[in-house]
């Protein structure tokens, strides 16, 4: 539930690399995390020449590793890495074109390399025998439109909205008797506390403390939303797309009727939306700072 999106890791540690706060190898290692391997397909060739269409004329014929890809993106003029966390009806962080937006929407996340007019969308595969399954990730590199991203708030705005969202989420859980409503909720809360006590690093070096605070609160809000839906996954209702899903009974947040499930969904939808917007604002904070310094 509390695992950060892969796009968040790439943006955070990619920005730290651009700021020369970490080495290329450390950046790639942090982005990969517990996955087995990350590769990038469609990466522009070293020349960076443009075709008549406005896209890069040549791309690497084979998938390349993250270290090479990050260095190439930097050489192509990347000023910062930004995150998009879109869901149907809410293209959060996207700016087009349609092909990229469609891929990002399907994945539920993406990274935009501003300055290079490129975007990266992850696609994960589970490989290995039973008992030793691990994830391999392919990042699809595609042209993007250089334009202001959709519906991304400032850090200050996100923090104010989150305070209200936290109250709303808590009230909904209390009213629906969700907190402590079954083994799924109990396990989710225990996992959340364990992760917090482990002192995990939420963002890469260089991020302002306010961004860390906003991201931590956004994850707490999304954890509460996931508990309300009785989910054990990544904290995004309905999976990567962020839609509403679940099953009835105690493991569906304590709801016992279709009307209760619908009421909870309606109450929590704006809360989840606020938390996603805040996550994007936190991950993008350092990219904005890098771009300001270079302008």
């Amino acid at each position: 539930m509390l695992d950060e999106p892969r796009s968040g890791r790439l943006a955070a540690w990619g920005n730290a690399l651009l700021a020369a706060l970490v080495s290329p190898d450390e950046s790639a290692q942090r982005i990969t995390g517990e996955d087995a391997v990350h590769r990038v397909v469609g990466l522009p060739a070293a020349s960076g020449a443009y075709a008549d269409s406005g896209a890069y004329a040549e791309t690497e014929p084979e998938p390349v590793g993250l270290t090479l890809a990050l260095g190439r993106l930097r050489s192509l003029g990347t000023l910062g890495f930004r995150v998009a966390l879109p869901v149907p009806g809410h293209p959060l962080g996207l700016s087009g074109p349609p092909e990229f937006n469609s891929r990002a929407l399907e994945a539920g996340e993406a990274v935009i390399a501003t300055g290079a007019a490129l975007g990266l969308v992850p696609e994960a595969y589970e490989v290995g025998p039973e008992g030793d399954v691990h994830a391999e990730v392919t990042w699809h590199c595609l042209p993007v439109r250089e334009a202001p991203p959709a519906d991304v708030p400032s850090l200050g705005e996100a923090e104010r909205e989150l305070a209200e969202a936290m109250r709303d989420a808590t009230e909904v859980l209390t009213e629906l008797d969700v907190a402590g409503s079954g083994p799924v909720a109990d396990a989710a809360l225990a996992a959340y506390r364990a992760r917090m006590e482990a002192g995990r690093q939420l963002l890469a070096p260089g991020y302002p403390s306010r961004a860390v605070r906003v991201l931590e609160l956004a994850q707490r809000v999304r954890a509460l939303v996931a508990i309300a839906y009785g989910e054990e996954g990544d904290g995004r209702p309905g999976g990567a797309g962020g839609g509403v899903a679940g099953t009835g009974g105690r493991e569906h947040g304590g709801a016992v009727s279709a009307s209760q499930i619908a009421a909870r969904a309606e109450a929590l939808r704006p809360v989840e939306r606020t938390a996603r917007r805040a996550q994007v604002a936190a991950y993008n904070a350092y990219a904005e700072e890098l771009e300001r310094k270079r302008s």
Side-chain angles (χ1 to χ4, degrees), residues 134-190:
H134 55 273
E136 294 186 356
V137 179
T138 296
W139 291 89
H140 297 271
C141 187
L142 300 163
V144 298
R145 184 180 299 132
E146 292 278 15
D151 198 35
V152 178
S154 67
L155 268 181
E157 181 184 357
E159 191 168 31
R160 289 190 297 272
E161 290 178 353
L162 274 174
E164 182 176 347
M166 192 69 178
R167 289 193 298 269
D168 291 346
T170 302
E171 289 176 4
V172 170
L173 294 178
T174 302
E175 290 172 4
L176 297 174
D177 194 24
V178 169
S181 62
V184 174
D186 293 340
L189 288 170

Side-chain angles (χ1 to χ4, degrees), residues 1 12 20 40 49 55 60 98 100 117 120 124 134 198 222 252:
M1 154 184 311
V40 180
E60 294 290 343
F100 179 78
L120 299 157
H134 55 273
R222 297 198 76 180
H252 197 296

Side-chain angles (χ1 to χ4, degrees), residues 224-252:
L224 288 174
V225 171
I227 291 170
Y229 284 105
E231 295 185 356
E232 296 179 276
D234 57 5
R236 291 174 290 181
V244 176
T247 58
R250 288 175 59 81
E251 292 192 0
H252 197 296

Side-chain angles (χ1 to χ4, degrees), residues 104-293:
L105 184 60
E106 183 178 356
E109 60 178 311
V111 175
I112 290 87
T114 60
L118 291 169
L120 299 157
V121 180
E123 184 177 8
Y125 307 86
E126 288 190 347
V127 298
E130 184 176 353
D132 188 28
V133 176
H134 55 273
E136 294 186 356
V137 179
T138 296
W139 291 89
H140 297 271
C141 187
L142 300 163
V144 298
R145 184 180 299 132
E146 292 278 15
D151 198 35
V152 178
S154 67
L155 268 181
E157 181 184 357
E159 191 168 31
R160 289 190 297 272
E161 290 178 353
L162 274 174
E164 182 176 347
M166 192 69 178
R167 289 193 298 269
D168 291 346
T170 302
E171 289 176 4
V172 170
L173 294 178
T174 302
E175 290 172 4
L176 297 174
D177 194 24
V178 169
S181 62
V184 174
D186 293 340
L189 288 170
Y192 175 77
R193 295 189 187 102
R195 292 291 294 274
M196 291 299 98
E197 291 170 1
R200 62 197 175 101
Q201 186 171 7
L202 286 177
L203 287 169
Y207 273 83
S209 59
R210 190 177 203 178
V212 177
R213 185 169 66 246
V214 167
L215 181 58
E216 196 275 338
L217 183 54
Q219 291 187 346
R220 285 174 58 193
V221 171
R222 297 198 76 180
L224 288 174
V225 171
I227 291 170
Y229 284 105
E231 295 185 356
E232 296 179 276
D234 57 5
R236 291 174 290 181
V244 176
T247 58
R250 288 175 59 81
E251 292 192 0
H252 197 296
V256 294
S257 71
S259 62
Q260 286 176 306
I261 293 171
R264 182 191 49 221
E266 185 66 24
L268 289 176
R269 189 174 292 112
V271 175
E272 194 273 339
R273 181 187 182 103
T274 296
R276 281 189 300 106
R277 292 180 76 237
Q279 279 187 289
V280 172
Y283 283 122
N284 291 1
Y286 200 25
E288 294 175 359
E289 181 63 23
L290 289 172
E291 291 166 29
R292 281 195 295 268
K293 288 179 180 179

Side-chain angles (χ1 to χ4, degrees), residues 29-51:
Q29 182 180 21
R30 293 282 192 166
I31 293 166
T32 302
E34 297 179 358
D35 297 330
V37 64
H38 282 220
R39 298 184 180 89
V40 180
V41 299
L43 186 72
S47 65
Y50 286 92

